[in-house]
Amino acid sequence: MSEATLSFDDPNLVRTLFGERDRHLRKVRESVGVDVVIRGDELHLFGTDIQVERGRDIFSKLHAIIERDGELRDSEVVRVIEGHVSDTKASNASIATNDFGTTVSVHAAVATNGHGVKSKAPAANGGIEVFEKAKKIHPRTAGQFEYVEAIRKNDIVLCVGPAGSGKTYLAVAMAVNALRQEQVRKIVLVRPAVEAGERLGFLPGDLHSKLNPYLRPLLDALNDILSFEQVKRYMENDVIEIVPLAYMRGRTLNSTFMILDEGQNTTVTQMKMFLTRMGQESRIVATGDVTQIDLPPNVPSGMIDAVGRLGHIPGLACVHLTTKDIVRHRLVGEIVRAYDDEQPSHVKRRART
């Protein structure tokens, strides 16, 4: 893995170089395969030797165009990149090693997976680019890496795992990545309003106030990935929507990245309703921890049912994370393992169903 740094005196020049919503940056990354991170007034390029060299050459030429013309048109970006197309084809099959010691083939262009769905090939280290300042999110365990790859390659992913294993956080990061690469037009975050031993009626305020605590974990993940101002703008413009599961009935969502959190607390009927909201060019990730089911003991979990019922369908992947994938405080993993050793009988019965 090689690295190069390009410095710029004017931060506005960097914004012009990247283009509106980073469209110029995406064209360079997709054509060359180089990873780009901005830190202050510097661009850091990562990739193979030939990828970094070509990326540096392209950005230098685009920089010269901006200094000459005061702007950067799409046609100029395409013209500069096309000068590297033939060389890029030769380097697209470069082999790199990811953070977990696994070799992966790095392809710069948009690839087609086994189900005929276009998907962006992963960076060499499995990182998730969210185009937010210098932030880049990386899976931290082998299980998380498998999870991220499953989201990249499938239209629907069902992920079961313990608390703290990154199920929701990584799904939100992948949704932001898809939104900012214009693969989808909208993100919808969904959660069932099921009480964990408490009742909605005891909470003060109107219906919105009562539901807010149930939807808050999704908003927390979003605010950790994007700036508060960006999240506010997206929500005001209905680009990002956070809704209770019951509000999804009757909708059909096209070009949307839908995430269902706490899927273990859906009934079989609710899970079917959610999955069938999927429209054209949409993607779904449903997550859940089947050791924390808050449904009545005689009500089957829609998450467990879906994993057993749908796992054979092409284009749909089931991922199981374990306590080894917990990335919160060290004690969280110890606590989860201690409770797993003595699960209530109704939880064990559900898990075998």
Side-chain angles (χ1 to χ4, degrees), residues 160-351:
V160 174
S165 56
K167 304 183 299 294
T168 302
Y169 188 82
L170 290 173
V172 171
M174 289 296 289
V176 171
N177 173 272
L179 178 68
R180 292 199 157 185
Q181 293 197 73
E182 300 178 2
Q183 296 174 1
V184 296
R185 297 195 304 267
K186 183 181 178 75
I187 296 174
V188 174
L189 307 175
V190 184
R191 212 166 187 257
V194 175
E195 300 93 336
E198 298 176 289
R199 305 295 298 175
L200 277 170
F202 290 118
L203 297 173
D206 57 15
L207 179 61
H208 182 271
S209 300
K210 290 176 185 291
L211 289 172
N212 185 63
Y214 293 91
L215 305 179
R216 189 75 213 179
L218 292 169
L219 192 57
D220 288 343
L222 205 55
N223 282 326
D224 191 67
I225 294 169
L226 299 174
S227 67
F228 174 81
E229 293 77 13
Q230 184 66 72
V231 173
K232 183 179 178 181
R233 283 195 298 272
Y234 277 152
M235 295 187 71
E236 287 175 347
N237 295 323
D238 203 34
V239 175
I240 292 180
E241 185 180 358
I242 304 179
V243 296
L245 176 61
Y247 289 22
M248 292 292 287
R249 188 172 297 280
R251 304 180 67 179
T252 299
L253 298 172
N254 296 314
S255 191
T256 301
F257 200 119
M258 291 175 274
I259 298 174
L260 173 64
D261 191 33
E262 300 291 344
Q264 79 278 2
N265 285 331
T266 63
T267 65
V268 174
T269 301
Q270 287 173 329
M271 179 62 78
K272 176 183 176 183
M273 180 272 289
F274 172 74
L275 295 176
T276 54
R277 301 309 91 198
M278 187 178 191
Q280 297 296 323
E281 298 181 351
S282 288
R283 298 159 71 181
I284 285 178
V285 176
T287 69
D289 179 358
V290 296
T291 68
Q292 297 191 43
I293 299 174
D294 299 313
L295 297 168
N298 61 335
V299 177
S301 167
M303 191 76 189
I304 295 176
D305 177 81
V307 170
R309 186 190 299 264
L310 307 176
H312 66 283
I313 298 177
L316 186 152
C318 298
V319 178
H320 295 265
L321 300 179
T322 70
T323 53
K324 294 180 180 179
D325 300 303
I326 293 176
V327 292
R328 288 183 189 167
H329 192 286
R330 175 189 60 81
L331 288 176
V332 173
E334 298 295 331
I335 290 169
V336 170
R337 280 186 284 271
Y339 275 96
D340 283 349
D341 290 341
E342 296 185 13
Q343 289 182 3
S345 59
H346 73 276
V347 172
K348 291 181 179 178
R349 185 169 61 252
R350 292 174 196 262

